[in-house]
């Protein structure tokens, strides 16, 4: 229970009707979850407008309602008006959970790519140095020993604050979280005193109906983080970084390959052994040390450099950083799975043309004997994605194995046929094997010395969605089953 006036202490508001001197039993923003004595926040969404439920929530016992538009409400209900009810929900949530973020060092990572990997690297380094670290991201939230699968990259503000409170109770000292442009635009992170904000990179993405109106708007939303953090750490190699940082209020540090970067990577080398791909480089500037990571590609250098730039603020030793970077793994992001001493197999979440092209281009730099790409595309999604992914794999892979992903309500063969239309624009060789486990068996059984094999598209997902139902399907499990079955032959 909290007094309404106390909950609103950090908001500018107008009392439209009723008393402020009331006890609130719960904070609710979903009309189906209204309970007697609660404060209901009317959120104006793209599909549903909470303001239309005022009479209904009042009938179910809501004691107070927060609005951003004029509404008709029964006399016995307190109505409070704010400029933006999403922003209102965020600050109310901070107050409801007693400002848990102020008891934590909160690290926010924003950018088009690299957010997920960077957050796991930071968590790995800080934990290696003895900190207890919470995580909120695209794949999951991690609170102590509890792992909660994620629906959004940045959850609704009430959920973020609830997680923070649970992290404080679990003894966490820091939390590292992915901060999406959508999350910033929708005020899900409002009221959080970020210790450190990170900008990885930006590319035109998430632009269209229900997302960002333009690339300029996308950059503006990313930049909001740097008016809300104490220290900003930015990738100076990204040509848009100054546009993103417009109006920043934080202390600034830079990283990258550029000479002017405060922390820079020098002498990058590809590291290649049977069943293993990685990179090494020397960090210079704010931290001077040699680094090797078990994840291939230039972007791995950026991700690890970001993690080093963050963790030096926590007085982590170079040895701790080196050790932690060697073992930092992200489920489904260039995740190596050892199946042979002769060839390399990995799982990756690349599920659109841009991410698949980036991945395959990176792997080609290692000059594999053959680059084999296994993937499918989701049903009830854009056909254009299928054509584009087929074309990318046809151009870059030596062999493509076209299989099933999440067919949803479509026939797997129809999706495969669409991918083949993209393949037809290239001279790429392919085989089609609709059953994903059989496709995995094929690439493992036919792996040749020096091959690099990628299972793309599923990544961290451990299910397959068919006709509205999710069935368990984890590629790591399928690989082990295939290995055992091949051994038994």
């Amino acid at each position: 229970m909290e007094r309404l006036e106390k909950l609103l202490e950090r908001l500018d508001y107008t009392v439209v009707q009723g008393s402020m001197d009331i006890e609130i039993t719960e904070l609710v923003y979903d009309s189906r979850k209204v309970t007697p004595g609660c404060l209901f926040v009317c959120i104006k969404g793209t599909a549903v407008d909470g303001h239309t439920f005022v009479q209904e929530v009042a009938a179910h016992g809501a004691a107070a309602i927060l609005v951003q538009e004029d509404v008709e409400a029964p006399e016995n209900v307190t109505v409070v008006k704010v400029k933006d009810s999403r922003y209102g929900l965020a600050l109310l949530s901070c107050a409801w959970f007693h400002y848990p973020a102020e008891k934590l060092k909160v690290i926010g990572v924003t950018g088009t790519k690299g957010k997920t990997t960077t957050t796991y690297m930071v968590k790995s380094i800080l934990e290696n140095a003895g900190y207890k670290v919470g995580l909120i991201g695209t794949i999951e939230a991690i609170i102590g020993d509890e792992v909660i699968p994620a629906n959004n990259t940045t959850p609704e503000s009430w959920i973020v604050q609830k997680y923070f409170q649970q992290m404080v109770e679990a003894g966490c000292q820091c939390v590292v979280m992915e901060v999406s442009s959508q999350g910033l635009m929708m005020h899900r992170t409002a009221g959080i005193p970020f210790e450190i904000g990170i900008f990885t990179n930006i590319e035109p993405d998430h632009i269209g109906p229900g997302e960002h109106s333009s690339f300029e708007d996308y950059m503006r939303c990313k930049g909001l983080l740097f008016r809300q953090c104490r220290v900003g750490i930015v990738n100076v190699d990204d040509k848009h970084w100054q546009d993103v940082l417009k109006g920043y209020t934080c202390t600034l540090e830079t990283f990258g390959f550029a000479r002017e970067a405060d922390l820079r990577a020098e002498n990058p080398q590809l590291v290649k052994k049977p069943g293993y791909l990685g990179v090494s480089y020397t960090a210079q500037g704010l931290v001077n040390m040699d680094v090797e990571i078990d994840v291939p590609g230039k972007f791995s250098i950026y991700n690890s450099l970001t993690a080093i730039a963050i963790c030096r603020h926590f007085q982590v030793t170079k040895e701790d950083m080196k050790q932690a970077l060697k073992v930092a793994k992200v489920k489904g992001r260039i995740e190596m799975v050892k199946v042979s001493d002769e060839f390399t197999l990995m799982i990756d979440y690349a599920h659109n043309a841009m991410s698949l092209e980036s991945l395959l281009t990176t792997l080609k730099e290692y000059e594999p004997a053959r680059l084999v790409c296994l993937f499918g595309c989701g049903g009830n999604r854009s056909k254009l994605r299928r054509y584009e992914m087929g074309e990318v794999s046809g151009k870059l892979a030596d062999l493509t194995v076209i299989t099933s992903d999440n067919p949803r309500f479509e026939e797997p063969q129809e999706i495969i046929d669409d991918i083949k239309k993209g393949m037809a624009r290239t001279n790429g060789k392919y085989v089609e094997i609709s059953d994903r486990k059989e496709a995995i068996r094929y690439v493992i059984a036919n792996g040749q010395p020096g091959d690099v094999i990628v299972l793309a598209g599923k990544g961290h997902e451990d299910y397959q969605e068919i006709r509205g139902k999710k069935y368990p399907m984890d590629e790591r499990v399928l690989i082990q089953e295939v290995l055992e079955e091949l051994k038994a032959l």
Side-chain angles (χ1 to χ4, degrees):
M1 299 264 280
E2 288 289 342
R3 277 185 66 251
L4 179 57
E5 201 169 21
K6 177 85 176 132
L7 290 175
L8 290 160
E9 65 187 356
R10 294 191 185 179
L11 273 167
D12 290 328
Y13 61 89
T14 306
V15 182
V16 178
Q17 68 177 51
S19 167
M20 291 294 289
D21 192 21
I22 54 173
E23 292 285 334
I24 298 298
T25 56
E26 232 176 312
L27 180 60
V28 179
Y29 56 95
D30 181 338
S31 61
R32 296 163 298 184
K33 295 180 179 174
V34 167
T35 54
C38 75
L39 165 58
F40 178 71
V41 181
C42 298
I43 300 291
K44 202 173 172 65
T46 44
V48 180
D49 184 355
H51 293 80
T52 60
F53 296 107
V54 167
Q55 296 298 331
E56 186 187 316
V57 300
H60 282 96
I65 295 171
L66 188 91
V67 298
Q68 68 179 45
E69 292 176 357
D70 294 332
V71 296
E72 295 271 326
E75 283 177 19
N76 63 327
V77 176
T78 298
V79 178
V80 178
K81 191 175 182 184
V82 292
K83 189 179 168 191
D84 186 314
S85 56
R86 277 194 180 279
Y87 182 80
L89 175 63
L91 269 67
L92 283 166
S93 299
C94 294
W96 181 258
F97 291 106
H98 305 116
Y99 306 103
E102 293 177 8
K103 299 163 194 147
L104 296 159
K105 297 267 191 215
V106 185
I107 302 158
V109 184
T110 199
T112 306
K113 290 184 191 162
K115 294 190 296 294
T116 303
T117 305
T118 301
T119 54
Y120 281 85
M121 281 183 168
V122 170
K123 186 174 190 289
S124 175
I125 293 172
L126 291 178
E127 285 182 338
N128 204 56
Y131 288 93
K132 192 157 185 184
V133 187
L135 181 140
I136 300 174
T138 304
I139 300 175
E140 61 206 359
I142 304 173
I143 304 164
D145 298 327
E146 190 183 0
V147 175
I148 306 156
N151 291 322
N152 296 330
T153 296
T154 309
E156 191 51 84
S157 54
W158 185 89
I159 297 169
V160 171
Q161 296 299 328
K162 181 180 173 222
Y163 286 168
F164 283 172
Q165 187 206 36
Q166 290 172 332
M167 287 173 188
V168 170
E169 287 170 358
C172 293
Q173 298 126 306
C174 338
V175 53
V176 57
M177 67 182 290
E178 293 183 52
V179 181
S180 67
S181 54
Q182 290 282 91
L184 287 158
M185 181 174 75
M186 297 166 104
H187 303 303
R188 290 176 184 161
T189 54
I192 298 172
F194 285 97
E195 179 69 14
I196 298 176
I198 294 92
F199 166 64
T200 59
N201 52 58
I202 197 160
E203 290 174 20
D205 197 8
H206 302 294
I207 295 157
E211 294 194 277
H212 297 285
S213 55
S214 63
F215 185 45
E216 286 64 35
D217 182 56
Y218 181 44
M219 289 195 288
R220 181 191 64 79
C221 287
K222 291 275 185 214
L224 294 172
L225 178 61
F226 302 94
R227 296 175 206 177
Q228 204 180 323
C229 64
R230 192 180 67 78
V231 177
I233 298 174
V234 302
N235 175 4
V236 78
D237 295 343
D238 191 284
K239 63 183 177 188
H240 299 292
W241 79 266
Q242 283 164 312
D243 295 320
V244 171
L245 269 282
K246 252 181 209 156
Y248 74 89
T249 56
C250 54
T251 305
L252 213 56
E253 289 178 12
T254 59
F255 68 92
F257 285 84
R259 291 293 320 155
E260 69 268 23
D262 299 322
L263 177 66
R264 56 191 184 278
E266 294 183 354
N267 192 28
Q269 305 282 329
L270 302 181
V271 181
K272 181 181 172 185
K273 301 168 198 159
Y276 171 99
L277 303 177
V279 281
S280 67
Y281 65 95
T282 303
Q284 294 283 354
L286 293 172
V287 177
N288 298 304
M289 62 190 258
D290 293 325
V291 182
E292 188 178 318
I293 329 151
D294 295 10
V295 188
K298 190 176 181 180
F299 56 85
S300 298
I301 297 179
Y302 279 118
N303 293 340
S304 58
L305 210 53
T306 319
I308 292 167
I310 295 162
C311 293
R312 75 173 200 91
H313 285 273
F314 291 82
Q315 278 71 55
V316 179
T317 67
K318 290 179 193 176
E319 275 317 304
D320 275 336
M321 287 197 207
K322 278 186 188 181
Q323 258 181 311
L325 284 169
K326 280 290 285 176
V327 297
K329 294 277 182 288
V330 186
K331 190 178 181 187
R333 299 293 201 278
I334 309 199
E335 180 187 346
M336 306 274 177
V337 182
K338 185 79 192 289
V339 296
S340 165
D341 288 332
E342 297 198 316
F343 58 85
T344 306
L345 182 135
M346 65 187 70
I347 296 171
D348 192 81
Y349 188 50
H351 62 294
N352 58 35
M354 194 199 306
S355 55
L356 189 64
E357 185 169 19
S358 169
L359 173 66
L360 297 181
T361 304
T362 291
L363 296 174
K364 274 185 95 66
E365 289 175 5
Y366 286 81
E367 299 176 348
R370 289 187 312 166
L371 180 54
V372 180
C373 178
L374 176 153
F375 79 97
C377 287
N380 305 102
R381 297 290 186 271
S382 162
K383 282 185 174 242
L384 187 61
R385 177 180 284 190
R386 300 169 194 177
Y387 306 147
E388 288 174 346
M389 286 182 75
E391 189 171 355
V392 163
S393 191
K395 268 191 206 155
L396 294 171
D398 298 295
L399 174 66
T400 300
V401 179
I402 310 172
T403 186
S404 193
D405 193 293
N406 291 321
R408 298 187 177 92
F409 289 94
E410 283 192 72
E411 286 302 320
Q413 191 57 49
E414 287 172 18
I415 300 169
I416 288 170
D417 290 343
D418 282 338
I419 295 169
K420 281 155 62 180
K421 285 174 189 164
M423 291 285 308
R425 297 174 191 161
T426 74
N427 298 317
K429 291 184 195 156
Y430 71 87
V431 295
E432 55 181 287
I433 303 170
S434 180
D435 182 284
R436 200 162 182 115
K437 182 178 175 182
E438 288 310 311
I440 291 171
R441 184 194 308 277
Y442 176 84
V443 294
I444 291 175
N446 293 283
Q448 295 174 16
D451 280 358
V452 172
I453 302 167
V454 186
L455 314 184
K458 294 298 287 174
H460 59 275
E461 292 178 357
D462 56 4
Y463 62 84
Q464 188 170 38
E465 195 177 332
I466 303 168
R467 306 220 165 269
K469 195 172 171 195
K470 286 184 177 179
Y471 296 88
M473 191 191 79
D474 186 325
E475 288 188 318
R476 293 147 208 81
V477 174
L478 297 184
I479 290 165
Q480 288 315 311
E481 286 176 358
V482 164
L483 291 173
E484 280 163 29
E485 287 162 17
L486 289 172
K487 211 186 283 178
L489 289 176

